[in-house]
Amino acid sequence: MEIAILLIIVAAIFITRSIKVVPQQNAWVVERLGKYNSSLAPGLNFLIPFIDKVAYKHSLKEIPLDVPSQVCITRDNTQLQVDGILYFQVTDPMRASYGSSNYIVAVTQLAQTSLRSVIGKLELDKTFEERDIINAQVVHAIDEAALNWGVKVLRYEIKDLTPPKEILLAMQAQITAEREKRALIAASEGRRQEQINIATGEREAFIARSEGEKQAEINNAQGEASAILAVAEATAEAIRKVADAIRQPGGQEAVQLKVTERAVDAYSKVAADATTTLIVPSNMTEVSALIASAMKMVGATKTN
């Protein structure tokens, strides 16, 4: 009975040492008699008990690594407190086991030294503007060395850049001055545009008024010319009608009578004015002579 129990225990130990189940996204390094033998893939694996042994276990997942904060000096001799995070992944379990005694510490130290080197080539203002370039250069520098450790560096991100307090105050003052400068420029541009708009409006208004006055003068002149032309045409038409009437039978007698009436009417008006001294011709034949002269002018006009 005791022998059976002993055999069961030995069999259980053999089974435990010979059967290994590797989880997904993991790799186990197997040594045989102290020497690297193989890397176990995820799933069920069999080992030789007491000869094979699982020496290292690695996760193949992406690992975030917080890089400790450090002081870096820029090209213009300004100190910066830099804090970042590194993302890497084990790609070769064998090299990760034997390439470095502690690849996590190695990657961390290399990230810090690479970051100091990259920031030392940049001026203070550039470190804030070119974070993507800094991240890419750090990843490139680490990735070359990390190949020997079986590690692939995926990316590096700067979490914080903190300059000294005095530099922060100076930067804030500079930003304030720059904003005030932009505000003054914007205000002056606004005033300039306002003056331009006012001058343009006045010029356009003056042009519009002058065009209106010009058109009004043209319209008045055209109106006066039309009136003069209408009066002249009416006068000419009246003269033509009078001339036609004179040419008719009895026309001359009518004209003689009309002239006589006008002459008598004129003498009457003069005589009616008490302030006017009327001198009556001693020879009334002079009146008839005046009428005869007028009739001669009418006759001349008719002949023409």
Side-chain angles (χ1 to χ4, degrees):
M1 186 65 181
E2 294 179 355
I3 295 175
I5 295 174
L6 182 60
L7 290 175
I8 292 173
I9 294 174
V10 171
I13 293 174
F14 266 81
I15 293 173
T16 303
R17 286 181 170 270
S18 61
I19 298 176
K20 299 293 181 184
V21 178
V22 180
Q24 183 65 33
Q25 284 297 97
N26 281 266
W28 292 1
V29 175
V30 176
E31 292 181 352
R32 178 168 292 174
L33 299 177
K35 183 180 179 180
Y36 172 76
N37 180 57
S38 63
S39 298
L40 301 181
L44 182 63
N45 295 272
F46 296 95
L47 302 178
I48 301 175
F50 302 106
I51 296 177
D52 294 340
K53 137 181 122 166
V54 176
Y56 299 97
K57 296 181 179 180
H58 299 286
S59 173
L60 303 181
K61 299 177 183 179
E62 184 176 338
I63 301 173
L65 178 63
D66 190 10
V67 179
S69 178
Q70 62 176 334
V71 176
C72 300
I73 300 177
T74 62
R75 185 177 179 181
D76 50 356
N77 296 324
T78 302
Q79 293 183 350
L80 279 178
Q81 193 77 21
V82 185
D83 187 12
I85 186 169
L86 184 70
Y87 297 87
F88 69 94
Q89 186 178 26
V90 175
T91 56
D92 190 340
M94 190 271 287
R95 291 195 177 189
S97 301
Y98 304 105
S100 174
S101 60
N102 191 331
Y103 61 84
I104 294 179
V105 174
V107 169
T108 303
Q109 295 296 322
L110 187 57
Q112 288 182 313
T113 56
S114 300
L115 182 61
R116 285 196 296 267
S117 176
V118 172
I119 290 182
K121 299 176 183 178
L122 300 174
E123 295 181 354
L124 177 63
D125 293 339
K126 294 295 183 181
T127 59
F128 295 99
E129 299 173 1
E130 300 181 357
R131 287 197 178 193
D132 292 339
I133 297 176
I134 295 173
N135 296 338
Q137 291 181 356
V138 170
V139 169
H140 179 71
I142 301 174
D143 201 33
E144 291 182 351
L147 291 176
N148 296 326
W149 306 331
V151 174
K152 173 66 176 177
V153 178
L154 302 176
R155 60 189 180 277
Y156 178 82
E157 298 290 340
I158 295 177
K159 292 196 297 184
D160 194 16
L161 285 171
T162 307
K165 184 177 180 180
E166 295 79 8
I167 300 298
L168 282 175
L169 294 176
M171 292 173 65
Q172 291 175 356
Q174 181 181 3
I175 293 173
T176 302
E178 185 66 25
R179 289 179 178 174
E180 291 177 353
K181 175 184 175 182
R182 289 199 297 266
L184 291 175
I185 292 175
S188 63
E189 286 293 332
R191 289 193 296 270
R192 174 175 172 271
Q193 189 62 42
E194 180 185 4
Q195 295 297 325
I196 292 174
N197 293 340
I198 292 174
T200 302
E202 292 178 351
R203 180 173 63 86
E204 292 177 354
F206 178 77
I207 292 174
R209 285 195 299 270
S210 63
E211 288 292 335
E213 293 173 356
K214 174 183 175 183
Q215 189 63 39
E217 291 178 358
I218 292 174
N219 294 339
N220 291 334
Q222 290 177 349
E224 292 177 359
S226 298
I228 293 172
L229 181 60
V231 171
E233 290 177 352
T235 304
E237 183 65 21
I239 292 174
R240 282 195 297 269
K241 289 183 178 181
V242 171
D244 292 339
I246 293 174
R247 294 189 184 96
Q248 298 298 325
Q252 291 186 0
E253 290 79 2
V255 171
Q256 183 176 1
L257 177 61
K258 191 68 175 177
V259 171
T260 303
E261 289 178 353
R262 290 291 179 90
V264 172
D265 186 59
Y267 277 109
S268 299
K269 289 182 179 180
V270 173
D273 190 356
T275 60
T276 304
T277 302
L278 177 63
I279 302 175
V280 179
S282 59
N283 188 4
M284 293 301 294
T285 58
E286 292 182 3
V287 176
S288 60
L290 177 61
I291 295 172
S293 177
M295 291 303 297
K296 287 182 181 180
M297 290 179 66
V298 173
T301 302
K302 180 178 179 183
T303 303
N304 293 332

